[in-house]
C-alpha cells in the first residue's frame, strides 16, 4: 500500500520540524508549504491524503486556504489554531475542517488525531463495533438501531446519518461534513436535506427537538450527538 501523504502548512519552522519528524517516524510521506498560495499549489501537485493547516499564514490565511481547498477536493484537514482564536475553530469546522488542535499542542496528540481521522475514513477495514449511548444501541455491522431493546426502523440514509453523528459524540458536524459523509462528496443540492432527515430521525428516536437527548442542534453550524445543552 502506498504511504499516506500529509501536507504540513505552517510558517513556524520549529513547528514544521517537530511535526514533520514525528509524521515521518510514523511512516507518512510528508511535504511542507510555508505560506497560503504555496499550500494550494502543493495540494494540487502532491495530492495529500490529509493536510495539517495552520490558520495564521503569510499570503493567505488558513481559513481562506481551506475554503479554496474545499472547492476542489475533499482532502482531510486538521487545523492548527491558537488558543485565543476560539472563533477560528467554529469557522474552520463550518468551512469543512475535519478536526483541529490548539497550540501549543503535543505532536503525539496531533498524530493521534490524524490516525483517528484516517482510521474512520477507512472504516471498512476494521470491525465496526456497536455504539451504545444510554438506551440507544447502533450496530453498524447489522445496520440496526435499538432503543430500549426495541428495533427502530430507519431508512439507509437515516441510519448513515445517525451513525455519522454518533461516531463523534460531543463534536459538532457541519451540514457540509454530514452531506459529504452520508450523501457522498458528489452530492449537489440543498443542505437543508440534512435538516429534513434529522427531523425524521428525531421523530423515530422519540427525541424532542426542544429538549433533545440524542441529536443537538448547534445554531448556525450543524449538529452534534450527545445530551449536553447546545
Ligand atoms: Ca503560523
Amino acid at each position: 500500500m502506498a504511504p499516506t501523504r500529509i501536507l504540513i502548512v505552517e510558517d513556524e519552522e520549529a513547528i514544521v520540524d517537530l511535526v514533520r519528524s514525528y509524521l515521518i517516524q510514523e511512516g507518512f510521506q510528508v511535504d511542507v508549504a510555508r505560506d497560503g498560495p504555496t499550500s494550494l499549489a502543493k495540494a494540487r501537485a502532491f495530492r495529500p491524503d490529509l493536510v495539517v493547516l495552520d490558520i495564521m499564514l503569510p499570503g493567505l490565511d488558513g481559513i481562506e486556504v481551506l475554503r479554496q481547498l474545499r472547492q476542489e477536493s475533499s482532502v482531510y484537514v486538521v487545523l492548527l489554531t491558537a488558543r485565543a482564536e476560539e472563533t477560528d475553530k467554529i469557522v474552520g469546522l463550518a468551512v469543512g475542517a475535519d478536526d483541529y488542535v490548539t497550540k501549543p499542542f503535543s505532536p503525539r496528540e496531533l498524530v493521534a488525531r490524524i490516525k483517528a481521522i484516517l482510521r474512520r475514513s477507512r472504516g471498512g477495514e476494521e470491525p465496526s463495533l456497536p455504539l451504545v449511548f444510554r438506551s440507544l444501541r447502533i450496530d453498524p455491522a447489522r445496520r440496526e438501531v435499538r432503543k430500549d431493546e426495541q428495533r427502530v426502523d430507519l431508512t439507509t440514509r437515516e441510519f448513515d446519518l445517525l451513525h455519522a453523528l454518533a461516531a463523534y459524540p460531543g463534536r459538532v458536524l457541519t451540514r457540509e461534513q454530514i452531506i459529504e459523509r452520508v450523501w457522498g462528496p458528489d452530492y449537489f443540492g440543498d443542505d437543508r436535506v440534512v435538516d429534513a432527515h434529522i427531523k425524521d430521525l428525531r421523530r423515530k428516536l422519540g427525541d424532542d427537538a426542544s429538549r433533545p437527548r440524542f441529536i443537538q442542534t448547534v445554531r448556525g453550524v450543524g449538529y452534534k450527538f450527545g445530551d449536553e445543552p447546545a
Side-chain angles (χ1 to χ4, degrees), residues 52-77:
V52 175
L53 180 59
D54 185 34
I55 289 185
M56 300 292 283
L57 288 170
L60 207 58
D61 73 31
I63 297 291
E64 192 49 40
V65 168
L66 177 56
R67 209 169 259 142
Q68 295 195 25
L69 268 180
R70 278 286 167 265
Q71 288 172 11
E72 46 196 84
S73 91
S74 54
V75 63
Y76 294 103
V77 175

PDB file of all heavy atoms in Angstrom, residues 52-77:
ATOM      1  N   VAL A  52      -2.329  19.226   7.340  1.00  0.00           N
ATOM      2  CA  VAL A  52      -2.240  19.871   8.643  1.00  0.00           C
ATOM      3  C   VAL A  52      -2.074  21.356   8.348  1.00  0.00           C
ATOM      4  O   VAL A  52      -1.068  21.767   7.774  1.00  0.00           O
ATOM      5  CB  VAL A  52      -1.035  19.347   9.452  1.00  0.00           C
ATOM      6  CG1 VAL A  52      -0.884  20.107  10.765  1.00  0.00           C
ATOM      7  CG2 VAL A  52      -1.182  17.848   9.714  1.00  0.00           C
ATOM      8  N   LEU A  53      -3.081  22.147   8.707  1.00  0.00           N
ATOM      9  CA  LEU A  53      -3.153  23.512   8.207  1.00  0.00           C
ATOM     10  C   LEU A  53      -3.160  24.533   9.338  1.00  0.00           C
ATOM     11  O   LEU A  53      -4.098  24.583  10.136  1.00  0.00           O
ATOM     12  CB  LEU A  53      -4.438  23.646   7.368  1.00  0.00           C
ATOM     13  CG  LEU A  53      -4.762  24.985   6.729  1.00  0.00           C
ATOM     14  CD1 LEU A  53      -3.670  25.439   5.777  1.00  0.00           C
ATOM     15  CD2 LEU A  53      -6.101  24.902   6.001  1.00  0.00           C
ATOM     16  N   ASP A  54      -2.121  25.340   9.394  1.00  0.00           N
ATOM     17  CA  ASP A  54      -2.081  26.432  10.368  1.00  0.00           C
ATOM     18  C   ASP A  54      -3.012  27.547   9.886  1.00  0.00           C
ATOM     19  O   ASP A  54      -3.203  27.726   8.682  1.00  0.00           O
ATOM     20  CB  ASP A  54      -0.646  26.960  10.493  1.00  0.00           C
ATOM     21  CG  ASP A  54      -0.528  28.018  11.581  1.00  0.00           C
ATOM     22  OD1 ASP A  54      -1.245  27.904  12.590  1.00  0.00           O
ATOM     23  OD2 ASP A  54       0.276  28.954  11.405  1.00  0.00           O
ATOM     24  N   ILE A  55      -3.591  28.286  10.813  1.00  0.00           N
ATOM     25  CA  ILE A  55      -4.502  29.368  10.403  1.00  0.00           C
ATOM     26  C   ILE A  55      -3.740  30.655  10.099  1.00  0.00           C
ATOM     27  O   ILE A  55      -3.998  31.330   9.108  1.00  0.00           O
ATOM     28  CB  ILE A  55      -5.598  29.579  11.463  1.00  0.00           C
ATOM     29  CG1 ILE A  55      -6.550  28.378  11.419  1.00  0.00           C
ATOM     30  CG2 ILE A  55      -6.364  30.879  11.182  1.00  0.00           C
ATOM     31  CD1 ILE A  55      -7.739  28.469  12.308  1.00  0.00           C
ATOM     32  N   MET A  56      -2.779  30.986  10.948  1.00  0.00           N
ATOM     33  CA  MET A  56      -2.010  32.219  10.730  1.00  0.00           C
ATOM     34  C   MET A  56      -0.879  31.948   9.750  1.00  0.00           C
ATOM     35  O   MET A  56       0.128  31.345  10.109  1.00  0.00           O
ATOM     36  CB  MET A  56      -1.420  32.723  12.060  1.00  0.00           C
ATOM     37  CG  MET A  56      -2.458  33.045  13.107  1.00  0.00           C
ATOM     38  SD  MET A  56      -3.453  34.485  12.653  1.00  0.00           S
ATOM     39  CE  MET A  56      -2.269  35.776  13.037  1.00  0.00           C
ATOM     40  N   LEU A  57      -1.094  32.373   8.516  1.00  0.00           N
ATOM     41  CA  LEU A  57      -0.109  32.095   7.456  1.00  0.00           C
ATOM     42  C   LEU A  57       0.135  33.347   6.647  1.00  0.00           C
ATOM     43  O   LEU A  57      -0.771  34.154   6.465  1.00  0.00           O
ATOM     44  CB  LEU A  57      -0.675  31.056   6.487  1.00  0.00           C
ATOM     45  CG  LEU A  57      -0.805  29.619   6.922  1.00  0.00           C
ATOM     46  CD1 LEU A  57      -1.601  28.855   5.879  1.00  0.00           C
ATOM     47  CD2 LEU A  57       0.563  28.996   7.130  1.00  0.00           C
ATOM     48  N   PRO A  58       1.333  33.507   6.102  1.00  0.00           N
ATOM     49  CA  PRO A  58       1.557  34.626   5.188  1.00  0.00           C
ATOM     50  C   PRO A  58       0.868  34.378   3.840  1.00  0.00           C
ATOM     51  O   PRO A  58       0.691  33.235   3.435  1.00  0.00           O
ATOM     52  CB  PRO A  58       3.081  34.663   5.011  1.00  0.00           C
ATOM     53  CG  PRO A  58       3.632  33.445   5.641  1.00  0.00           C
ATOM     54  CD  PRO A  58       2.539  32.716   6.357  1.00  0.00           C
ATOM     55  N   GLY A  59       0.480  35.445   3.203  1.00  0.00           N
ATOM     56  CA  GLY A  59      -0.082  35.325   1.854  1.00  0.00           C
ATOM     57  C   GLY A  59      -1.585  35.149   1.839  1.00  0.00           C
ATOM     58  O   GLY A  59      -2.309  35.951   1.261  1.00  0.00           O
ATOM     59  N   LEU A  60      -2.043  34.108   2.506  1.00  0.00           N
ATOM     60  CA  LEU A  60      -3.457  33.750   2.510  1.00  0.00           C
ATOM     61  C   LEU A  60      -3.663  32.995   3.815  1.00  0.00           C
ATOM     62  O   LEU A  60      -2.900  32.090   4.110  1.00  0.00           O
ATOM     63  CB  LEU A  60      -3.688  32.802   1.329  1.00  0.00           C
ATOM     64  CG  LEU A  60      -5.018  32.679   0.636  1.00  0.00           C
ATOM     65  CD1 LEU A  60      -5.469  34.034   0.095  1.00  0.00           C
ATOM     66  CD2 LEU A  60      -4.894  31.672  -0.511  1.00  0.00           C
ATOM     67  N   ASP A  61      -4.660  33.374   4.636  1.00  0.00           N
ATOM     68  CA  ASP A  61      -4.748  32.655   5.913  1.00  0.00           C
ATOM     69  C   ASP A  61      -5.346  31.258   5.726  1.00  0.00           C
ATOM     70  O   ASP A  61      -5.875  30.923   4.669  1.00  0.00           O
ATOM     71  CB  ASP A  61      -5.473  33.482   6.980  1.00  0.00           C
ATOM     72  CG  ASP A  61      -6.970  33.574   6.753  1.00  0.00           C
ATOM     73  OD1 ASP A  61      -7.560  32.621   6.196  1.00  0.00           O
ATOM     74  OD2 ASP A  61      -7.551  34.590   7.134  1.00  0.00           O
ATOM     75  N   GLY A  62      -5.212  30.457   6.794  1.00  0.00           N
ATOM     76  CA  GLY A  62      -5.604  29.054   6.713  1.00  0.00           C
ATOM     77  C   GLY A  62      -7.075  28.849   6.398  1.00  0.00           C
ATOM     78  O   GLY A  62      -7.444  27.895   5.711  1.00  0.00           O
ATOM     79  N   ILE A  63      -7.918  29.731   6.910  1.00  0.00           N
ATOM     80  CA  ILE A  63      -9.362  29.602   6.648  1.00  0.00           C
ATOM     81  C   ILE A  63      -9.630  29.781   5.154  1.00  0.00           C
ATOM     82  O   ILE A  63     -10.404  29.036   4.552  1.00  0.00           O
ATOM     83  CB  ILE A  63     -10.165  30.644   7.466  1.00  0.00           C
ATOM     84  CG1 ILE A  63      -9.989  30.398   8.972  1.00  0.00           C
ATOM     85  CG2 ILE A  63     -11.632  30.639   7.074  1.00  0.00           C
ATOM     86  CD1 ILE A  63     -10.635  29.134   9.495  1.00  0.00           C
ATOM     87  N   GLU A  64      -8.968  30.768   4.564  1.00  0.00           N
ATOM     88  CA  GLU A  64      -9.155  31.013   3.130  1.00  0.00           C
ATOM     89  C   GLU A  64      -8.580  29.860   2.300  1.00  0.00           C
ATOM     90  O   GLU A  64      -9.166  29.449   1.300  1.00  0.00           O
ATOM     91  CB  GLU A  64      -8.506  32.361   2.757  1.00  0.00           C
ATOM     92  CG  GLU A  64      -8.861  32.874   1.376  1.00  0.00           C
ATOM     93  CD  GLU A  64     -10.367  32.853   1.068  1.00  0.00           C
ATOM     94  OE1 GLU A  64     -11.176  33.181   1.967  1.00  0.00           O
ATOM     95  OE2 GLU A  64     -10.730  32.480  -0.060  1.00  0.00           O
ATOM     96  N   VAL A  65      -7.428  29.338   2.749  1.00  0.00           N
ATOM     97  CA  VAL A  65      -6.850  28.170   2.080  1.00  0.00           C
ATOM     98  C   VAL A  65      -7.847  27.009   2.124  1.00  0.00           C
ATOM     99  O   VAL A  65      -8.118  26.347   1.117  1.00  0.00           O
ATOM    100  CB  VAL A  65      -5.514  27.753   2.747  1.00  0.00           C
ATOM    101  CG1 VAL A  65      -5.064  26.375   2.261  1.00  0.00           C
ATOM    102  CG2 VAL A  65      -4.430  28.791   2.467  1.00  0.00           C
ATOM    103  N   LEU A  66      -8.427  26.795   3.309  1.00  0.00           N
ATOM    104  CA  LEU A  66      -9.386  25.705   3.484  1.00  0.00           C
ATOM    105  C   LEU A  66     -10.596  25.885   2.569  1.00  0.00           C
ATOM    106  O   LEU A  66     -11.065  24.951   1.925  1.00  0.00           O
ATOM    107  CB  LEU A  66      -9.817  25.669   4.954  1.00  0.00           C
ATOM    108  CG  LEU A  66     -10.869  24.643   5.372  1.00  0.00           C
ATOM    109  CD1 LEU A  66     -10.446  23.232   5.018  1.00  0.00           C
ATOM    110  CD2 LEU A  66     -11.132  24.751   6.875  1.00  0.00           C
ATOM    111  N   ARG A  67     -11.074  27.125   2.513  1.00  0.00           N
ATOM    112  CA  ARG A  67     -12.234  27.425   1.670  1.00  0.00           C
ATOM    113  C   ARG A  67     -11.932  27.067   0.199  1.00  0.00           C
ATOM    114  O   ARG A  67     -12.740  26.451  -0.476  1.00  0.00           O
ATOM    115  CB  ARG A  67     -12.534  28.928   1.797  1.00  0.00           C
ATOM    116  CG  ARG A  67     -13.979  29.283   1.607  1.00  0.00           C
ATOM    117  CD  ARG A  67     -14.227  30.717   2.022  1.00  0.00           C
ATOM    118  NE  ARG A  67     -14.830  30.804   3.344  1.00  0.00           N
ATOM    119  CZ  ARG A  67     -14.553  31.738   4.266  1.00  0.00           C
ATOM    120  NH1 ARG A  67     -13.662  32.659   4.010  1.00  0.00           N
ATOM    121  NH2 ARG A  67     -15.171  31.733   5.409  1.00  0.00           N
ATOM    122  N   GLN A  68     -10.728  27.447  -0.248  1.00  0.00           N
ATOM    123  CA  GLN A  68     -10.367  27.158  -1.642  1.00  0.00           C
ATOM    124  C   GLN A  68     -10.122  25.666  -1.859  1.00  0.00           C
ATOM    125  O   GLN A  68     -10.491  25.115  -2.889  1.00  0.00           O
ATOM    126  CB  GLN A  68      -9.144  27.982  -2.048  1.00  0.00           C
ATOM    127  CG  GLN A  68      -9.457  29.474  -2.045  1.00  0.00           C
ATOM    128  CD  GLN A  68      -8.416  30.302  -2.785  1.00  0.00           C
ATOM    129  OE1 GLN A  68      -7.717  29.813  -3.661  1.00  0.00           O
ATOM    130  NE2 GLN A  68      -8.322  31.575  -2.430  1.00  0.00           N
ATOM    131  N   LEU A  69      -9.487  25.026  -0.861  1.00  0.00           N
ATOM    132  CA  LEU A  69      -9.250  23.578  -0.952  1.00  0.00           C
ATOM    133  C   LEU A  69     -10.560  22.832  -1.119  1.00  0.00           C
ATOM    134  O   LEU A  69     -10.680  21.910  -1.922  1.00  0.00           O
ATOM    135  CB  LEU A  69      -8.598  23.074   0.342  1.00  0.00           C
ATOM    136  CG  LEU A  69      -7.095  23.003   0.456  1.00  0.00           C
ATOM    137  CD1 LEU A  69      -6.728  22.460   1.834  1.00  0.00           C
ATOM    138  CD2 LEU A  69      -6.496  22.124  -0.634  1.00  0.00           C
ATOM    139  N   ARG A  70     -11.544  23.266  -0.328  1.00  0.00           N
ATOM    140  CA  ARG A  70     -12.841  22.589  -0.323  1.00  0.00           C
ATOM    141  C   ARG A  70     -13.573  22.703  -1.660  1.00  0.00           C
ATOM    142  O   ARG A  70     -14.458  21.918  -1.950  1.00  0.00           O
ATOM    143  CB  ARG A  70     -13.724  23.120   0.809  1.00  0.00           C
ATOM    144  CG  ARG A  70     -13.412  22.496   2.130  1.00  0.00           C
ATOM    145  CD  ARG A  70     -13.935  21.061   2.198  1.00  0.00           C
ATOM    146  NE  ARG A  70     -13.379  20.334   3.341  1.00  0.00           N
ATOM    147  CZ  ARG A  70     -12.309  19.549   3.286  1.00  0.00           C
ATOM    148  NH1 ARG A  70     -11.663  19.379   2.154  1.00  0.00           N
ATOM    149  NH2 ARG A  70     -11.873  18.924   4.345  1.00  0.00           N
ATOM    150  N   GLN A  71     -13.219  23.718  -2.442  1.00  0.00           N
ATOM    151  CA  GLN A  71     -13.849  23.844  -3.751  1.00  0.00           C
ATOM    152  C   GLN A  71     -13.296  22.822  -4.730  1.00  0.00           C
ATOM    153  O   GLN A  71     -13.896  22.554  -5.756  1.00  0.00           O
ATOM    154  CB  GLN A  71     -13.650  25.259  -4.306  1.00  0.00           C
ATOM    155  CG  GLN A  71     -14.506  26.269  -3.562  1.00  0.00           C
ATOM    156  CD  GLN A  71     -14.193  27.693  -3.946  1.00  0.00           C
ATOM    157  OE1 GLN A  71     -13.480  27.939  -4.917  1.00  0.00           O
ATOM    158  NE2 GLN A  71     -14.725  28.639  -3.202  1.00  0.00           N
ATOM    159  N   GLU A  72     -12.113  22.273  -4.424  1.00  0.00           N
ATOM    160  CA  GLU A  72     -11.538  21.339  -5.384  1.00  0.00           C
ATOM    161  C   GLU A  72     -11.273  19.948  -4.846  1.00  0.00           C
ATOM    162  O   GLU A  72     -10.963  19.054  -5.626  1.00  0.00           O
ATOM    163  CB  GLU A  72     -10.269  21.915  -6.021  1.00  0.00           C
ATOM    164  CG  GLU A  72      -9.311  22.543  -5.039  1.00  0.00           C
ATOM    165  CD  GLU A  72      -8.288  23.425  -5.737  1.00  0.00           C
ATOM    166  OE1 GLU A  72      -8.603  24.609  -6.014  1.00  0.00           O
ATOM    167  OE2 GLU A  72      -7.193  22.926  -5.990  1.00  0.00           O
ATOM    168  N   SER A  73     -11.359  19.752  -3.527  1.00  0.00           N
ATOM    169  CA  SER A  73     -11.117  18.397  -3.032  1.00  0.00           C
ATOM    170  C   SER A  73     -11.768  18.162  -1.682  1.00  0.00           C
ATOM    171  O   SER A  73     -12.176  19.092  -1.001  1.00  0.00           O
ATOM    172  CB  SER A  73      -9.617  18.115  -2.931  1.00  0.00           C
ATOM    173  OG  SER A  73      -9.140  18.447  -1.648  1.00  0.00           O
ATOM    174  N   SER A  74     -11.858  16.887  -1.326  1.00  0.00           N
ATOM    175  CA  SER A  74     -12.415  16.537  -0.018  1.00  0.00           C
ATOM    176  C   SER A  74     -11.310  15.980   0.872  1.00  0.00           C
ATOM    177  O   SER A  74     -11.544  15.154   1.729  1.00  0.00           O
ATOM    178  CB  SER A  74     -13.540  15.530  -0.178  1.00  0.00           C
ATOM    179  OG  SER A  74     -13.083  14.424  -0.920  1.00  0.00           O
ATOM    180  N   VAL A  75     -10.066  16.437   0.619  1.00  0.00           N
ATOM    181  CA  VAL A  75      -8.921  16.011   1.434  1.00  0.00           C
ATOM    182  C   VAL A  75      -9.211  16.292   2.923  1.00  0.00           C
ATOM    183  O   VAL A  75      -9.887  17.258   3.255  1.00  0.00           O
ATOM    184  CB  VAL A  75      -7.648  16.777   0.965  1.00  0.00           C
ATOM    185  CG1 VAL A  75      -7.776  18.271   1.167  1.00  0.00           C
ATOM    186  CG2 VAL A  75      -6.396  16.261   1.667  1.00  0.00           C
ATOM    187  N   TYR A  76      -8.726  15.399   3.796  1.00  0.00           N
ATOM    188  CA  TYR A  76      -8.913  15.619   5.227  1.00  0.00           C
ATOM    189  C   TYR A  76      -8.043  16.778   5.689  1.00  0.00           C
ATOM    190  O   TYR A  76      -6.906  16.919   5.246  1.00  0.00           O
ATOM    191  CB  TYR A  76      -8.567  14.358   6.017  1.00  0.00           C
ATOM    192  CG  TYR A  76      -9.528  13.252   5.716  1.00  0.00           C
ATOM    193  CD1 TYR A  76      -9.172  12.210   4.883  1.00  0.00           C
ATOM    194  CD2 TYR A  76     -10.826  13.290   6.227  1.00  0.00           C
ATOM    195  CE1 TYR A  76     -10.079  11.209   4.564  1.00  0.00           C
ATOM    196  CE2 TYR A  76     -11.733  12.299   5.924  1.00  0.00           C
ATOM    197  CZ  TYR A  76     -11.357  11.267   5.090  1.00  0.00           C
ATOM    198  OH  TYR A  76     -12.257  10.289   4.773  1.00  0.00           O
ATOM    199  N   VAL A  77      -8.588  17.597   6.583  1.00  0.00           N
ATOM    200  CA  VAL A  77      -7.862  18.770   7.056  1.00  0.00           C
ATOM    201  C   VAL A  77      -7.925  18.846   8.581  1.00  0.00           C
ATOM    202  O   VAL A  77      -9.004  18.771   9.173  1.00  0.00           O
ATOM    203  CB  VAL A  77      -8.446  20.067   6.457  1.00  0.00           C
ATOM    204  CG1 VAL A  77      -7.774  21.297   7.056  1.00  0.00           C
ATOM    205  CG2 VAL A  77      -8.297  20.072   4.937  1.00  0.00           C
TER     206      VAL A  77
END
